[in-house]
């Protein structure tokens, strides 16, 4: 029995790092009673030593030399919550190479360099754990890599970005338009001053890249994900969705399909009309959820706080204890070697779609548009027309009508080509929104 403390070097003491220190202090004795481990943080690396962290800690705990913490022979384990690629990547590599297990919350790092770092951890025979990097406080990575290891996972759909969910919730429930909802999210601190990473879908893309890599055992990086954010979602789209039994969510989707006997993987982030009765439709405000569909297990949903200091620290602490237990036992977890991922080109994707067009309000126009769709083998599930003086007609001129379609499953390439034909019609003033609709019909997969 090794009764000596497990000495932890913490890289970063911002939102997550400071919450972790506070949580570990609160839970130290309980963890000790349950695991026999005495986990103590012996060094904390930050950028600015003069900054107050709201914690009562000895000054000599802190250093601005992160590399020295990683190289310190008196430190057993590294927790990286500084964020960014540089210098986090080199620090994590150095820690692993030095035989130190690493716990990280860094989605950007893992989404771009996960395969390299997992391999480095494997060859060093130590843990690299990252529960907090995807969906913050929701324990999802461990179920995915352990409990679901034998499961033929078909699809994972996540609402993994609280900022966009908050904005869409505001638009849905208060009738706000996109810019009002964004401004409010910024005022409340839910959205950054530069919200691009969130509203552009890039934060969710990094997370789904990590999820796809683990679910499918293939190296999917953030830049391989087909990304569309929420900036083009209008109040009219939201109103259409509400009236027709849908809720619009930004979904991150990793999918494995069998196409003519060959496995096809895809990873994408885009706004989706989710049927109001689907469990993901109930995810509001800053909550996150991950919905898994497997051949054997059926449907699963994981729900909780996807960000914030305390929820994220909870996930980091779980990993820290796990890594400390493994370290003492000389064991480590592994996600195995990742294959090279070949993803389906986005144009080859297919789904049901919602289309909104503005056309000249004159007899025969609706039929002409419907026949273009029909000629291109796009079958229509529902269709509605709104005049300028109707609830959905706010943005229309007096001689215009808005025509909304929901299609059955249709290939993206064919859809784009068909929209070009529609744009060329004299009677079509503009093609507005084109948003995917979540299909649950088994025979449509
Ligand atoms: N916040 C969340 O809700 C959340 C949720 C899930 C995952 N994460 C991930 O957790 C990580 C940390 O996020 P956070 O929100 O805690 O960030 P944060 O508040 O900005 O804190 C970053 C910390 O790292 C330190 N740091 C940055 N660069 C450094 C360097 N070169 N050398 C030494 N220290 C350095 C900073 O020092 P100073 O304090 O001196 O500036 C700060 O203490 C990120 O990877 C993030 O993606 C965060």
């Amino acid at each position: 029995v090794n009764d000596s403390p497990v000495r932890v070097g913490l890289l970063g003491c911002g939102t997550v790092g400071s919450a972790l220190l506070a949580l570990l202090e609160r839970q130290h004795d309980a963890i000790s009673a349950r695991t026999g481990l005495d986990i103590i943080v012996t060094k904390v690396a930050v950028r600015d030593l003069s900054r107050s962290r709201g914690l009562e800690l000895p000054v000599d705990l802190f250093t601005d030399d992160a590399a020295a913490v990683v190289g310190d022979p008196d430190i057993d384990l590294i927790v990286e919550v500084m964020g960014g690629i540089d210098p986090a990547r080199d620090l994590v590599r150095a820690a692993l190479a030095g035989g130190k297990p690493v716990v990280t919350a860094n989605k950007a790092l893992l989404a771009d360099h996960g395969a390299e770092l997992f391999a480095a951890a494997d060859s060093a025979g130590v843990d690299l754990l990252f529960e907090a990097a995807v969906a913050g406080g929701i324990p999802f990575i461990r179920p995915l890599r352990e409990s679901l290891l034998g499961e033929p996972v078909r699809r994972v759909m996540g609402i993994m970005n609280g900022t966009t969910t908050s904005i869409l919730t505001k638009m849905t429930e208060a009738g706000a338009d996109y810019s009002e909802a964004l401004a409010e999210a910024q005022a409340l601190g839910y959205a950054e001053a530069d919200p691009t990473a969130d509203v552009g879908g890039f934060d969710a893309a990094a997370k789904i890249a990590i999820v796809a890599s683990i679910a499918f055992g293939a190296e999917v990086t953030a830049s391989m994900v087909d990304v569309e954010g929420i900036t083009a979602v209008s109040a009219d789209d939201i109103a259409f969705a509400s009236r027709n039994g849908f809720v619009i969510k930004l979904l991150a989707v990793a999918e494995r399909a069998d196409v003519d006997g060959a496995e096809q993987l895809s990873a994408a982030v885009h706004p989706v009309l989710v049927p109001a009765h689907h469990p993901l439709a109930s995810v509001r405000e800053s909550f996150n959820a991950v919905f898994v569909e497997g051949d054997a297990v059926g449907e699963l949903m994981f729900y909780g706080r996807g960000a914030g200091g305390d929820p994220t620290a909870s996930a980091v602490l779980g990993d820290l204890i796990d890594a400390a237990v493994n370290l003492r036992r000389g064991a480590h977890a592994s996600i195995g070697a990742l294959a090279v991922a070949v993803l389906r080109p986005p144009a080859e994707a297919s789904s049901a779609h919602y289309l909104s067009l503005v056309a000249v309000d004159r007899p025969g126009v609706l039929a002409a548009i419907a026949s273009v769709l029909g000629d291109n083998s796009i079958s229509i599930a529902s269709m509605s027309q709104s005049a300028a003086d109707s609830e959905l007609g706010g943005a229309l001129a007096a001689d215009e009508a808005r025509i909304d379609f929901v299609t059955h499953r249709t290939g993206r390439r064919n859809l784009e080509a068909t929209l070009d034909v529609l744009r060329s019609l004299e009677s079509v003033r503009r093609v507005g929104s084109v948003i995917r609709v979540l299909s649950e019909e088994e025979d449509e997969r």
Side-chain angles (χ1 to χ4, degrees):
V1 181
N2 184 342
D3 285 335
S4 59
V6 175
R7 298 159 303 180
V8 177
L10 180 64
L11 311 183
C13 192
T15 305
V16 179
S18 55
L20 176 68
L21 286 173
L23 183 61
L24 182 57
E25 185 175 297
R26 280 210 306 280
Q27 291 297 102
H28 175 274
D29 293 353
I31 295 165
S32 191
R34 293 180 67 169
T35 65
L37 293 170
D38 176 19
I39 299 177
I40 50 170
V41 174
T42 54
K43 274 288 172 202
V44 180
V46 294
R47 211 166 15 196
D48 178 2
L49 284 170
S50 67
R51 217 176 106 187
S52 161
R53 318 225 159 239
L55 298 161
E56 281 176 35
L57 293 165
V59 178
D60 63 2
L61 194 66
F62 290 91
T63 169
D64 56 7
D65 189 349
V69 174
V70 167
D72 186 339
D74 291 332
I75 283 178
D76 304 307
L77 197 156
I78 295 295
V79 174
E80 185 274 305
V81 284
M82 64 200 288
I85 306 283
D86 200 21
R89 180 186 179 196
D90 286 339
L91 292 166
V92 170
R93 278 202 295 212
L96 296 171
K100 290 178 184 160
V102 174
V103 173
T104 178
N106 194 330
K107 67 208 124 196
L109 178 64
L110 293 177
D112 284 351
H113 303 287
E116 168 208 345
L117 298 173
F118 299 143
D122 260 357
S123 69
V126 296
D127 276 329
L128 171 59
L129 302 181
F130 52 94
E131 185 63 72
V134 175
I138 304 175
F140 173 63
I141 295 297
R142 189 167 280 98
L144 184 63
R145 62 189 278 183
E146 294 179 7
S147 322
L148 297 171
L149 193 55
E151 173 66 36
V153 171
R154 203 167 47 225
R155 180 161 72 168
V156 180
M157 297 190 287
I159 295 179
M160 296 180 172
N161 180 272
T163 304
T164 46
T165 314
S166 298
I167 292 171
L168 291 171
T169 302
K170 191 80 199 167
M171 292 175 74
T172 303
E173 296 176 12
D177 69 19
Y178 170 75
S179 44
E180 285 165 357
L182 171 61
E184 183 178 311
Q186 286 171 320
L188 292 171
Y190 294 145
E192 309 272 339
D194 175 0
T196 316
D198 293 319
V199 299
F202 304 107
D203 171 77
K207 293 169 181 169
I208 201 68
I210 298 170
V211 169
S213 299
I214 298 163
F216 304 137
E219 183 184 0
V220 178
T221 58
S223 62
M224 295 162 78
V225 179
D226 180 33
V227 186
E228 181 186 327
I230 64 161
T231 51
V233 175
S234 70
D236 282 349
D237 297 330
I238 299 271
F240 173 85
S242 301
R243 287 163 53 124
N244 291 277
F246 296 103
V247 186
I248 299 183
K249 301 289 180 195
L250 183 69
L251 293 192
V253 184
E255 196 166 5
R256 166 162 44 198
D258 231 9
V259 179
D260 304 330
E263 182 178 77
Q264 227 179 35
L265 303 180
S266 64
V269 172
H270 35 234
V272 176
L273 270 73
V274 177
H277 59 80
H278 191 281
L280 285 171
S282 66
V283 180
R284 302 170 57 253
E285 293 173 340
S286 60
F287 280 92
N288 280 22
V290 192
F291 192 83
V292 181
E293 295 160 304
D295 288 343
V297 77
E299 297 178 348
L300 298 170
M301 186 155 96
F302 301 79
Y303 172 87
R305 289 273 175 212
D310 284 340
T312 308
S314 166
V316 173
L317 181 56
D319 276 353
L320 171 53
I321 296 168
D322 204 13
V325 169
N326 279 343
L327 182 67
R328 280 288 181 262
R329 289 184 183 152
H332 70 105
S334 166
I335 67 160
L338 297 181
V340 174
V342 181
L343 298 191
R344 176 188 65 199
E348 286 172 26
S350 70
S351 125
H353 283 84
Y354 148 68
L355 316 173
S356 180
L357 281 72
V358 174
V360 178
D361 192 4
R362 153 177 102 215
V365 168
L366 179 58
I369 292 170
S371 85
V372 168
L373 295 176
D375 291 347
N376 288 278
S377 311
I378 296 177
S379 87
I380 299 166
S382 71
M383 175 165 76
S384 62
Q385 184 168 352
S386 320
D389 56 2
S390 70
E391 193 191 333
L392 287 180
L396 301 176
D399 68 336
E400 289 177 343
R402 168 175 160 166
I403 305 173
D404 295 307
F405 295 96
V406 174
T407 75
H408 286 295
R409 180 173 285 268
T410 180
R412 193 76 191 182
R413 191 192 308 279
N414 181 39
L415 182 72
E416 299 289 353
T418 307
L419 291 174
D420 284 342
V421 176
L422 289 174
R423 282 187 193 97
S424 72
L425 297 184
E426 173 273 330
S427 56
V428 172
R429 292 268 164 88
R430 57 189 176 273
V431 172
S433 301
V434 179
I435 303 181
R436 290 162 184 82
V437 176
L438 177 61
S439 163
E440 301 163 288
E441 297 160 54
E442 200 57 41
D443 60 353
E444 285 207 333
R445 290 237 170 80

